[in-house]
Amino acid sequence: MSTAPLQRKVEEFLAVHDPSTTDRLEFLRARYDEGLAWVHYPVGRGGLGLAQELQSEVERLFVEAGAPDNKPGHNVIGLGMAAPTILEFGTEEQKNRFLRPLWTGEEIWCQLFSEPGAGSDLANVSTRARRDGDEWVVSGQKVWTSGAQNARFAILLARTDPDEPKHLGLTYFLCDMTDPGVEVRPLRQITGEAEFNEVFLTDVRIPGSQRLGEVGQGWKVANATLNNERISIGKGADREGGMIGVVAQTWRRRPELHTPELHDRLLRLWVEAEVSRLTGARLRQKLAHGQPGPEGSAMKLSFARIAQELSGLELELLGEQGLHYSDWTLVRPDHVDFTGRDAGYRYLRAKGNSIEGGTSEILRNIVAERVLGLPGEHRVDKDLPWKEIAK
Amino acid sequence: MSTAPLQRKVEEFLAVHDPSTTDRLEFLRARYDEGLAWVHYPVGRGGLGLAQELQSEVERLFVEAGAPDNKPGHNVIGLGMAAPTILEFGTEEQKNRFLRPLWTGEEIWCQLFSEPGAGSDLANVSTRARRDGDEWVVSGQKVWTSGAQNARFAILLARTDPDEPKHLGLTYFLCDMTDPGVEVRPLRQITGEAEFNEVFLTDVRIPGSQRLGEVGQGWKVANATLNNERISIGKGADREGGMIGVVAQTWRRRPELHTPELHDRLLRLWVEAEVSRLTGARLRQKLAHGQPGPEGSAMKLSFARIAQELSGLELELLGEQGLHYSDWTLVRPDHVDFTGRDAGYRYLRAKGNSIEGGTSEILRNIVAERVLGLPGEHRVDKDLPWKEIAK
Amino acid sequence: MSELDLLYTEIEEDLRSSVRDLLADRCELDAVTRIYDGDRSLVDGLWKSLVDIGLAGLLVPEDRGGQGASAREAAVVLEELGRTAAPVPFLTSSVIATTALLDSDTALLEQLATGERVAALAVPWSAAPDAQLPAVRLEGDRLTGTVTSVAGAIEADVLLVATGSGLYAVDVSAVTVKPLVCLDMTRQLADVTLDGATGALVLVDAEPAVRRALDAGAALMASEQLGLSRWCLETTVAYLQVRKQFGRVLGGFQALKHRLADLYTGVESGAAAARHAAATSAEGDPDATVAASIAQAYLSDLAVRAAEEAVQLHGGIGMTWEHPAHLYLKRAKSDQIALGTPGRHRVRLGALVDLRP
Amino acid sequence: MSELDLLYTEIEEDLRSSVRDLLADRCELDAVTRIYDGDRSLVDGLWKSLVDIGLAGLLVPEDRGGQGASAREAAVVLEELGRTAAPVPFLTSSVIATTALLDSDTALLEQLATGERVAALAVPWSAAPDAQLPAVRLEGDRLTGTVTSVAGAIEADVLLVATGSGLYAVDVSAVTVKPLVCLDMTRQLADVTLDGATGALVLVDAEPAVRRALDAGAALMASEQLGLSRWCLETTVAYLQVRKQFGRVLGGFQALKHRLADLYTGVESGAAAARHAAATSAEGDPDATVAASIAQAYLSDLAVRAAEEAVQLHGGIGMTWEHPAHLYLKRAKSDQIALGTPGRHRVRLGALVDLRP
């Protein structure tokens, strides 16, 4: 289907469901049922089995019509990670149960993967899931969970068999965050905010029907999820989108702060940011119909480095004002904007860009091994039973 | 002995050996015999068993008196590497035979350590020495030998037992470069010059009396030699000594080439060069009476990086003139001056600073492991018989 | 130039030990972190205990009631204070304000030496030694003007205010001190407003004293930055020696080893630059100004790099409020801007060593 | 701006294959190295074979005897030439001189297209597109002046000389061409002296044509730098996959892996910048000038870094004359200065995108 018939389909839908008079949730559910939620999803799952590029056209038409959206910024994990994994590995029942309320935003999702002892080495998770009849009983501690306080469900990685080697003893679950064994505590960051949480699981009971994929297949399922996170190359921004735009505007507004040194550093970073934008555009062209590959890791490396250098530069440029900060009060933001707030926040928050979603060190390993074909790291832990690995 | 009596000793020597009337070689031999060659060497070996710092005072007095010197620039390997190793590991006969003509410059020395397959991994040398009665018969290929064409002797590392693990099957020899089995070929470098040589050894016969240290002890002896190379922190220069001085002078002479960008880069490197100079001074103070340690490796890392960045900057500064070069003709210089010749030469030659005498990568390993106490690299080759290691 | 001692004397090492012991007792990093939430209960007691061992008067001559020590000893104290991001007015009062008063016969100097009073020089904390000074007007015997972002003002009971007609000591009760929310709350800044305040003239010629004070501050803040950098390096090395991922300690991964080796190289270089700045300052060496700017140009960036590497190499834990790394990151970034950015010091050096734009 | 295709079309890939095959046959790196010792025997035959497959006229419209291709195809050719440091006048004659003549009705354009003649624009090779042009005086119909460090002059039989009164085509027999010893002998420069030489007026308004030609050169040299960078990356990765030390291949050492990953990231970014410059140039996009300066600012440093890493990571062998890495180092460093240094292009960008000093 090309753009024109899809456009007609949206128009027909809008004719039947007038955004100005239809209840928001009713509108969104109908949009899902009509296959106009995410057109690259299958028919019956909110989509029409079309190419993913067509989605932006659909979004544009709904925005133009003044239609309500599903507030995608509030359900990033759900839309970006849980949904594609459920679509790929879920049973029919799971897809029926979870995908529609996920897309409409009725049910927010979070991610229970990382642990204090399982960061870069995610396969080292020690949260334990024991089978008990038709249920699984889960205990352990998770960390770096954004939006846990608002989430109804979580995607969860837990160890079901400590006698297996680390990658083989894991299973993937869909966890109900309202279970009484789930305790969410805000995790404060260097910015002063608590954008993430720690989640303590104590004998949380998960029905067998909420296991995603086979027992012992958790690592494979989790990797499908993570590929969706790491390789997300974004939608492509205009020139001076993101951090460079903010800093360039500061430069233009404050000529009294200019020095020759900062001028050259800014221009270097302007060039790098623009080249990075073009690299993203080129990668999107390459991947137009294919699968995202490890090349996306290189993009993320550049993104983090440039954002960090720019935000550091901005404080030097601001000089006296760079010594100030807006507010250290502990808040739990619903929505994170790396370039929001003041320059001090931007500087501190950018430090996370090279840690979250795969540290820059891990990404360099990925590029070296999967793109350049260099040998993997020496691994002592691959074939040992997990419980025998030195922790 | 403090400065004053030593000064008297030099004056007395000069009174007996008038530099203006004494034959050069006779003068140098007498200076050696008087213990005024290297005062920190033992009595009878050209020294007086004094602190090494006193040497510079002695040199100053001889220079003031217009005395001939032993042209140390022409026998760098001999004076800096062979002599201290012979002193430490040599027999009385070896010290008697070799040290005096080495110091006077009558016999120039070179080094036969590196091989095409044994660079950073020096213990991997495959040049073979087989015992034949009282002699050793040596065959193999050596590389990166400076001054081989002028050398009378070489310090040589060879494998005497391939069945031992790599570090244990090596032995150290003193090799006569006039042996008919020794062939020296110039090795041209990217500068166009042949500062080094390849040396091919074919059934070279070395008498047992020219083995230095025990059979199988070659690695230990070679490390003593290399410590003298790597850790040489130099004599300490004045501000703007070395590459920074050359580039700063270019900057001052050519104001029409200045740009704000190059100005800041030059000042950054000026600061780094000056800090590096101070770091060397500080390290020398630390080591005043002690042994050089692995901290010297950090100095060499900085030295190489700064020299490379400065020489690269100079070409950009020179612009059109930076596109030129002095001469590509293959010559074999007797003496290497990193900052000699033109800017193009300086740029190319500086590339070697992070390779020769321990690559920067090896030096970082040394700092990380020996200074910071981080774990060593995973080694598959340590305990295997050398002949079984994958090459 | 004759070679200055760039190491630590035995006396300096003894001083370091006492300061380190005291800070280990009195300056827990958790308590430092609580300052960000407004709990400054740590500050007074900590400062008092530093005063008790005589640190407030370190740079004051013995005949004026001080220890008669030199910039070398003050630098060692600052290394230790930098290691704990200690929230005390040593640099602002005992180094900068004190240096400004060394040529004055005011009794205030004695009071600073004994810790009876604490002073701050009223300049923006970002001001380089050669920056334009803030304009405070003298009308009759009344001072009027605003000086923004003053370091040490919150802890001070007297401010040193420069005017065209002299340096004045102004009691804080006579001015408005408005604390600011700062990137580095362990050295919280304040805007100071003088609205017809009276002060005591302590020096007729303000500018040279202020510039000398800022230069001493720049020279010695390098030692604070050195201490901070060393903490970051050592803490990171120690963490990577025990933190395991993939069944191996992280410190065994060569890419991390090489980065730490490079950081070590930087820190050792920083030590030389900081000691040189302290030694030239102590000797009144003609090279002291150049040495101060070299030290600031080098150590400001080094400390930021050390703190950034500490956060990165600690991984997620380094991004948390709970781990102290962020205290050092904020201090390092703030110090980078304080007393002139590295870029500003390089420009100054260019003029001093005849490498002009 | 609508999104330009930053990949390679099938036609472009076919073109790449033929050029690569030809260079594999005709441009052995050992023969390239011999140029440094004065043996230029490789050059004529290699150029002839490039002419034979129509490359000389790539940018010339079909109705003027050329291929009517665009900057995109020329960029692909330059990538391949960059991969072998090929000593041919493609960039200087078929791109720069040709672009200067595109608005002229001179028959010379046809002759360049067929390879019958080879031209060079008489400007110093270091001149940025916005640099001041060399002063050649026109007296009557005679040209007088010296233009130093001209690229392509040695291979050319005609020089394009800009004066205030127009662009002149001057036969090399009418001038003195003095070859220079150069850092990059694979693009050897020459000083050109005109001492009352006669020439044919080919364009009345020289300056816009020269600037456009230099901009096209800057935009497309980026692809040469890209090809060079790719060769360095691929050759180094391949070497480290087989070179063993300590019983392990060097490519398994994590510090080297990470450096190569960073270099790969740079090269992929460079590919985007170079393709963007070629595509905007091909389209006559209003962003073409900005794109050319971005590409030069980025790829000039990238190529130097790639070549420097290649030398370093090859260890001692990379320092030898025998290994070809040095050809790339010299070409990369020379290209960095050619057509304006990266710093110069950044200053230009600052003005173009309203980020002023």
Side-chain angles (χ1 to χ4, degrees), chain A residues 116 121 188 190 261 320 323-324 328 347 354 361, chain C residues 37 148-149 183 243 245-246 259 308 312 330:
Chain A
D121 183 12
R188 197 174 185 183
I190 66 177
E261 176 229 353
E320 182 183 340
L323 298 169
H324 303 162
W328 291 113
Y347 173 72
S354 52
E361 291 71 33
Chain C
D37 288 323
T148 52
S149 305
L183 181 63
R243 169 75 173 174
Q245 295 274 276
F246 310 105
R259 275 162 69 171
E308 289 180 344
Q312 177 68 23
K330 292 161 187 173

PDB file of all heavy atoms in Angstrom, chain A residues 116 121 188 190 261 320 323-324 328 347 354 361, chain C residues 37 148-149 183 243 245-246 259 308 312 330:
ATOM      1  N   PRO A 116      22.017  -4.773  40.480  1.00  0.00           N
ATOM      2  CA  PRO A 116      23.306  -4.235  40.941  1.00  0.00           C
ATOM      3  C   PRO A 116      24.495  -5.074  40.454  1.00  0.00           C
ATOM      4  O   PRO A 116      25.536  -4.534  40.109  1.00  0.00           O
ATOM      5  CB  PRO A 116      23.172  -4.281  42.465  1.00  0.00           C
ATOM      6  CG  PRO A 116      21.708  -4.127  42.707  1.00  0.00           C
ATOM      7  CD  PRO A 116      21.036  -4.861  41.570  1.00  0.00           C
ATOM      8  N   ASP A 121      27.091  -6.828  32.184  1.00  0.00           N
ATOM      9  CA  ASP A 121      26.995  -8.288  32.113  1.00  0.00           C
ATOM     10  C   ASP A 121      25.580  -8.704  32.493  1.00  0.00           C
ATOM     11  O   ASP A 121      25.346  -9.322  33.525  1.00  0.00           O
ATOM     12  CB  ASP A 121      28.018  -8.879  33.087  1.00  0.00           C
ATOM     13  CG  ASP A 121      28.040 -10.406  33.039  1.00  0.00           C
ATOM     14  OD1 ASP A 121      27.433 -10.993  32.114  1.00  0.00           O
ATOM     15  OD2 ASP A 121      28.664 -10.987  33.937  1.00  0.00           O
ATOM     16  N   ARG A 188      17.795   8.034  43.217  1.00  0.00           N
ATOM     17  CA  ARG A 188      18.186   9.394  42.896  1.00  0.00           C
ATOM     18  C   ARG A 188      19.471   9.400  42.084  1.00  0.00           C
ATOM     19  O   ARG A 188      20.396   8.637  42.355  1.00  0.00           O
ATOM     20  CB  ARG A 188      18.385  10.166  44.197  1.00  0.00           C
ATOM     21  CG  ARG A 188      18.386  11.663  44.010  1.00  0.00           C
ATOM     22  CD  ARG A 188      18.448  12.348  45.358  1.00  0.00           C
ATOM     23  NE  ARG A 188      18.326  13.771  45.247  1.00  0.00           N
ATOM     24  CZ  ARG A 188      18.412  14.589  46.286  1.00  0.00           C
ATOM     25  NH1 ARG A 188      18.585  14.094  47.512  1.00  0.00           N
ATOM     26  NH2 ARG A 188      18.288  15.889  46.118  1.00  0.00           N
ATOM     27  N   ILE A 190      22.638  11.779  39.922  1.00  0.00           N
ATOM     28  CA  ILE A 190      23.521  12.919  40.172  1.00  0.00           C
ATOM     29  C   ILE A 190      22.876  14.251  39.818  1.00  0.00           C
ATOM     30  O   ILE A 190      23.320  15.295  40.282  1.00  0.00           O
ATOM     31  CB  ILE A 190      24.875  12.765  39.439  1.00  0.00           C
ATOM     32  CG1 ILE A 190      24.725  12.813  37.925  1.00  0.00           C
ATOM     33  CG2 ILE A 190      25.557  11.477  39.834  1.00  0.00           C
ATOM     34  CD1 ILE A 190      26.079  12.744  37.210  1.00  0.00           C
ATOM     35  N   GLU A 261      38.946  30.507  21.511  1.00  0.00           N
ATOM     36  CA  GLU A 261      39.085  29.089  21.841  1.00  0.00           C
ATOM     37  C   GLU A 261      37.720  28.410  21.802  1.00  0.00           C
ATOM     38  O   GLU A 261      37.556  27.349  21.201  1.00  0.00           O
ATOM     39  CB  GLU A 261      39.686  28.938  23.247  1.00  0.00           C
ATOM     40  CG  GLU A 261      39.777  27.494  23.710  1.00  0.00           C
ATOM     41  CD  GLU A 261      39.213  27.262  25.102  1.00  0.00           C
ATOM     42  OE1 GLU A 261      38.862  28.228  25.800  1.00  0.00           O
ATOM     43  OE2 GLU A 261      39.101  26.078  25.476  1.00  0.00           O
ATOM     44  N   GLU A 320      30.512  32.421  34.806  1.00  0.00           N
ATOM     45  CA  GLU A 320      29.902  32.607  36.130  1.00  0.00           C
ATOM     46  C   GLU A 320      28.546  31.894  36.217  1.00  0.00           C
ATOM     47  O   GLU A 320      28.271  31.189  37.187  1.00  0.00           O
ATOM     48  CB  GLU A 320      29.731  34.098  36.421  1.00  0.00           C
ATOM     49  CG  GLU A 320      29.141  34.347  37.800  1.00  0.00           C
ATOM     50  CD  GLU A 320      28.899  35.827  38.072  1.00  0.00           C
ATOM     51  OE1 GLU A 320      29.509  36.678  37.391  1.00  0.00           O
ATOM     52  OE2 GLU A 320      28.093  36.125  38.966  1.00  0.00           O
ATOM     53  N   LEU A 323      28.339  28.256  36.998  1.00  0.00           N
ATOM     54  CA  LEU A 323      28.539  27.800  38.379  1.00  0.00           C
ATOM     55  C   LEU A 323      27.209  27.568  39.097  1.00  0.00           C
ATOM     56  O   LEU A 323      27.195  27.026  40.200  1.00  0.00           O
ATOM     57  CB  LEU A 323      29.361  28.838  39.159  1.00  0.00           C
ATOM     58  CG  LEU A 323      30.787  29.096  38.643  1.00  0.00           C
ATOM     59  CD1 LEU A 323      31.388  30.323  39.321  1.00  0.00           C
ATOM     60  CD2 LEU A 323      31.666  27.876  38.885  1.00  0.00           C
ATOM     61  N   HIS A 324      26.126  27.995  38.491  1.00  0.00           N
ATOM     62  CA  HIS A 324      24.811  27.901  39.153  1.00  0.00           C
ATOM     63  C   HIS A 324      24.104  26.607  38.763  1.00  0.00           C
ATOM     64  O   HIS A 324      24.530  25.889  37.872  1.00  0.00           O
ATOM     65  CB  HIS A 324      23.951  29.114  38.773  1.00  0.00           C
ATOM     66  CG  HIS A 324      24.601  30.428  39.102  1.00  0.00           C
ATOM     67  ND1 HIS A 324      24.216  31.616  38.551  1.00  0.00           N
ATOM     68  CD2 HIS A 324      25.652  30.727  39.919  1.00  0.00           C
ATOM     69  CE1 HIS A 324      24.968  32.604  39.026  1.00  0.00           C
ATOM     70  NE2 HIS A 324      25.858  32.079  39.854  1.00  0.00           N
ATOM     71  N   TRP A 328      18.077  21.313  43.245  1.00  0.00           N
ATOM     72  CA  TRP A 328      18.534  19.969  43.599  1.00  0.00           C
ATOM     73  C   TRP A 328      17.433  19.113  44.204  1.00  0.00           C
ATOM     74  O   TRP A 328      17.685  17.945  44.568  1.00  0.00           O
ATOM     75  CB  TRP A 328      19.692  20.043  44.603  1.00  0.00           C
ATOM     76  CG  TRP A 328      20.954  20.585  44.007  1.00  0.00           C
ATOM     77  CD1 TRP A 328      21.552  21.769  44.311  1.00  0.00           C
ATOM     78  CD2 TRP A 328      21.767  19.968  43.010  1.00  0.00           C
ATOM     79  NE1 TRP A 328      22.693  21.930  43.550  1.00  0.00           N
ATOM     80  CE2 TRP A 328      22.846  20.834  42.743  1.00  0.00           C
ATOM     81  CE3 TRP A 328      21.681  18.762  42.286  1.00  0.00           C
ATOM     82  CZ2 TRP A 328      23.836  20.540  41.811  1.00  0.00           C
ATOM     83  CZ3 TRP A 328      22.667  18.467  41.360  1.00  0.00           C
ATOM     84  CH2 TRP A 328      23.728  19.348  41.131  1.00  0.00           C
ATOM     85  N   TYR A 347      24.603  19.108  31.564  1.00  0.00           N
ATOM     86  CA  TYR A 347      25.947  18.549  31.726  1.00  0.00           C
ATOM     87  C   TYR A 347      25.916  17.238  32.506  1.00  0.00           C
ATOM     88  O   TYR A 347      26.495  16.235  32.101  1.00  0.00           O
ATOM     89  CB  TYR A 347      26.841  19.568  32.444  1.00  0.00           C
ATOM     90  CG  TYR A 347      28.198  19.032  32.799  1.00  0.00           C
ATOM     91  CD1 TYR A 347      29.148  18.803  31.811  1.00  0.00           C
ATOM     92  CD2 TYR A 347      28.539  18.737  34.123  1.00  0.00           C
ATOM     93  CE1 TYR A 347      30.400  18.299  32.135  1.00  0.00           C
ATOM     94  CE2 TYR A 347      29.790  18.234  34.444  1.00  0.00           C
ATOM     95  CZ  TYR A 347      30.709  18.016  33.446  1.00  0.00           C
ATOM     96  OH  TYR A 347      31.941  17.505  33.750  1.00  0.00           O
ATOM     97  N   SER A 354      26.393   7.726  28.041  1.00  0.00           N
ATOM     98  CA  SER A 354      27.384   6.693  27.689  1.00  0.00           C
ATOM     99  C   SER A 354      27.310   5.496  28.633  1.00  0.00           C
ATOM    100  O   SER A 354      28.201   4.645  28.617  1.00  0.00           O
ATOM    101  CB  SER A 354      28.792   7.301  27.726  1.00  0.00           C
ATOM    102  OG  SER A 354      29.011   7.954  28.956  1.00  0.00           O
ATOM    103  N   GLU A 361      31.686   1.405  26.467  1.00  0.00           N
ATOM    104  CA  GLU A 361      32.694   0.337  26.427  1.00  0.00           C
ATOM    105  C   GLU A 361      32.108  -0.927  25.796  1.00  0.00           C
ATOM    106  O   GLU A 361      32.746  -1.577  24.958  1.00  0.00           O
ATOM    107  CB  GLU A 361      33.212   0.038  27.837  1.00  0.00           C
ATOM    108  CG  GLU A 361      34.051   1.166  28.435  1.00  0.00           C
ATOM    109  CD  GLU A 361      33.256   2.403  28.820  1.00  0.00           C
ATOM    110  OE1 GLU A 361      32.084   2.270  29.236  1.00  0.00           O
ATOM    111  OE2 GLU A 361      33.781   3.524  28.689  1.00  0.00           O
TER     112      GLU A 361
ATOM    113  N   ASP C  37      20.979  18.953  49.996  1.00  0.00           N
ATOM    114  CA  ASP C  37      19.591  19.045  50.443  1.00  0.00           C
ATOM    115  C   ASP C  37      19.436  20.064  51.574  1.00  0.00           C
ATOM    116  O   ASP C  37      18.433  20.066  52.283  1.00  0.00           O
ATOM    117  CB  ASP C  37      19.084  17.666  50.885  1.00  0.00           C
ATOM    118  CG  ASP C  37      18.863  16.752  49.684  1.00  0.00           C
ATOM    119  OD1 ASP C  37      18.416  17.253  48.627  1.00  0.00           O
ATOM    120  OD2 ASP C  37      19.166  15.541  49.790  1.00  0.00           O
ATOM    121  N   THR C 148      28.383  39.466  42.354  1.00  0.00           N
ATOM    122  CA  THR C 148      27.641  38.215  42.211  1.00  0.00           C
ATOM    123  C   THR C 148      28.556  37.013  42.392  1.00  0.00           C
ATOM    124  O   THR C 148      29.772  37.099  42.185  1.00  0.00           O
ATOM    125  CB  THR C 148      26.988  38.147  40.815  1.00  0.00           C
ATOM    126  OG1 THR C 148      28.000  38.399  39.838  1.00  0.00           O
ATOM    127  CG2 THR C 148      25.887  39.197  40.668  1.00  0.00           C
ATOM    128  N   SER C 149      27.959  35.904  42.781  1.00  0.00           N
ATOM    129  CA  SER C 149      28.640  34.601  42.810  1.00  0.00           C
ATOM    130  C   SER C 149      29.940  34.610  43.606  1.00  0.00           C
ATOM    131  O   SER C 149      30.983  34.164  43.136  1.00  0.00           O
ATOM    132  CB  SER C 149      28.926  34.116  41.379  1.00  0.00           C
ATOM    133  OG  SER C 149      27.741  34.094  40.623  1.00  0.00           O
ATOM    134  N   LEU C 183      26.060  24.564  41.145  1.00  0.00           N
ATOM    135  CA  LEU C 183      26.470  23.260  40.636  1.00  0.00           C
ATOM    136  C   LEU C 183      27.282  22.525  41.702  1.00  0.00           C
ATOM    137  O   LEU C 183      27.101  21.329  41.912  1.00  0.00           O
ATOM    138  CB  LEU C 183      27.312  23.461  39.370  1.00  0.00           C
ATOM    139  CG  LEU C 183      27.802  22.202  38.684  1.00  0.00           C
ATOM    140  CD1 LEU C 183      26.647  21.358  38.180  1.00  0.00           C
ATOM    141  CD2 LEU C 183      28.733  22.541  37.519  1.00  0.00           C
ATOM    142  N   ARG C 243      35.264  -5.037  41.180  1.00  0.00           N
ATOM    143  CA  ARG C 243      33.998  -5.197  40.469  1.00  0.00           C
ATOM    144  C   ARG C 243      34.146  -6.218  39.356  1.00  0.00           C
ATOM    145  O   ARG C 243      34.999  -6.087  38.481  1.00  0.00           O
ATOM    146  CB  ARG C 243      33.583  -3.841  39.880  1.00  0.00           C
ATOM    147  CG  ARG C 243      32.437  -3.885  38.892  1.00  0.00           C
ATOM    148  CD  ARG C 243      31.102  -4.077  39.548  1.00  0.00           C
ATOM    149  NE  ARG C 243      30.014  -3.942  38.581  1.00  0.00           N
ATOM    150  CZ  ARG C 243      28.742  -4.180  38.873  1.00  0.00           C
ATOM    151  NH1 ARG C 243      28.373  -4.552  40.095  1.00  0.00           N
ATOM    152  NH2 ARG C 243      27.811  -4.040  37.957  1.00  0.00           N
ATOM    153  N   GLN C 245      32.419  -8.388  36.184  1.00  0.00           N
ATOM    154  CA  GLN C 245      31.392  -8.614  35.177  1.00  0.00           C
ATOM    155  C   GLN C 245      31.993  -9.658  34.251  1.00  0.00           C
ATOM    156  O   GLN C 245      33.202  -9.687  34.057  1.00  0.00           O
ATOM    157  CB  GLN C 245      31.046  -7.331  34.413  1.00  0.00           C
ATOM    158  CG  GLN C 245      30.401  -6.253  35.283  1.00  0.00           C
ATOM    159  CD  GLN C 245      28.880  -6.423  35.403  1.00  0.00           C
ATOM    160  OE1 GLN C 245      28.098  -5.997  34.578  1.00  0.00           O
ATOM    161  NE2 GLN C 245      28.454  -7.096  36.475  1.00  0.00           N
ATOM    162  N   PHE C 246      31.153 -10.501  33.693  1.00  0.00           N
ATOM    163  CA  PHE C 246      31.630 -11.568  32.816  1.00  0.00           C
ATOM    164  C   PHE C 246      32.630 -12.468  33.538  1.00  0.00           C
ATOM    165  O   PHE C 246      33.574 -12.977  32.933  1.00  0.00           O
ATOM    166  CB  PHE C 246      32.259 -10.987  31.542  1.00  0.00           C
ATOM    167  CG  PHE C 246      31.393  -9.972  30.860  1.00  0.00           C
ATOM    168  CD1 PHE C 246      31.664  -8.616  30.930  1.00  0.00           C
ATOM    169  CD2 PHE C 246      30.262 -10.378  30.168  1.00  0.00           C
ATOM    170  CE1 PHE C 246      30.847  -7.689  30.320  1.00  0.00           C
ATOM    171  CE2 PHE C 246      29.441  -9.455  29.547  1.00  0.00           C
ATOM    172  CZ  PHE C 246      29.732  -8.111  29.623  1.00  0.00           C
ATOM    173  N   ARG C 259      42.999   3.270  29.659  1.00  0.00           N
ATOM    174  CA  ARG C 259      42.450   4.578  30.042  1.00  0.00           C
ATOM    175  C   ARG C 259      42.952   4.986  31.418  1.00  0.00           C
ATOM    176  O   ARG C 259      43.260   6.157  31.653  1.00  0.00           O
ATOM    177  CB  ARG C 259      40.926   4.533  30.022  1.00  0.00           C
ATOM    178  CG  ARG C 259      40.399   4.800  28.626  1.00  0.00           C
ATOM    179  CD  ARG C 259      38.997   4.359  28.469  1.00  0.00           C
ATOM    180  NE  ARG C 259      38.077   5.174  29.230  1.00  0.00           N
ATOM    181  CZ  ARG C 259      36.753   5.064  29.106  1.00  0.00           C
ATOM    182  NH1 ARG C 259      36.253   4.183  28.242  1.00  0.00           N
ATOM    183  NH2 ARG C 259      35.940   5.813  29.807  1.00  0.00           N
ATOM    184  N   GLU C 308      35.064  12.748  35.405  1.00  0.00           N
ATOM    185  CA  GLU C 308      34.215  12.161  34.364  1.00  0.00           C
ATOM    186  C   GLU C 308      34.556  10.689  34.151  1.00  0.00           C
ATOM    187  O   GLU C 308      33.664   9.849  33.977  1.00  0.00           O
ATOM    188  CB  GLU C 308      34.363  12.952  33.049  1.00  0.00           C
ATOM    189  CG  GLU C 308      33.707  14.329  33.137  1.00  0.00           C
ATOM    190  CD  GLU C 308      33.806  15.166  31.861  1.00  0.00           C
ATOM    191  OE1 GLU C 308      34.631  14.837  30.981  1.00  0.00           O
ATOM    192  OE2 GLU C 308      33.078  16.159  31.758  1.00  0.00           O
ATOM    193  N   GLN C 312      32.093   7.474  34.695  1.00  0.00           N
ATOM    194  CA  GLN C 312      31.880   6.526  33.589  1.00  0.00           C
ATOM    195  C   GLN C 312      32.327   5.118  33.973  1.00  0.00           C
ATOM    196  O   GLN C 312      31.628   4.145  33.719  1.00  0.00           O
ATOM    197  CB  GLN C 312      32.647   7.001  32.346  1.00  0.00           C
ATOM    198  CG  GLN C 312      32.570   6.052  31.155  1.00  0.00           C
ATOM    199  CD  GLN C 312      31.169   5.963  30.556  1.00  0.00           C
ATOM    200  OE1 GLN C 312      30.367   6.870  30.726  1.00  0.00           O
ATOM    201  NE2 GLN C 312      30.870   4.870  29.885  1.00  0.00           N
ATOM    202  N   LYS C 330      31.004  17.570  40.318  1.00  0.00           N
ATOM    203  CA  LYS C 330      30.468  18.927  40.451  1.00  0.00           C
ATOM    204  C   LYS C 330      31.553  19.891  40.922  1.00  0.00           C
ATOM    205  O   LYS C 330      31.656  21.010  40.439  1.00  0.00           O
ATOM    206  CB  LYS C 330      29.281  18.905  41.409  1.00  0.00           C
ATOM    207  CG  LYS C 330      28.083  18.153  40.818  1.00  0.00           C
ATOM    208  CD  LYS C 330      27.067  17.716  41.868  1.00  0.00           C
ATOM    209  CE  LYS C 330      25.996  16.833  41.193  1.00  0.00           C
ATOM    210  NZ  LYS C 330      25.072  16.230  42.198  1.00  0.00           N
TER     211      LYS C 330
END
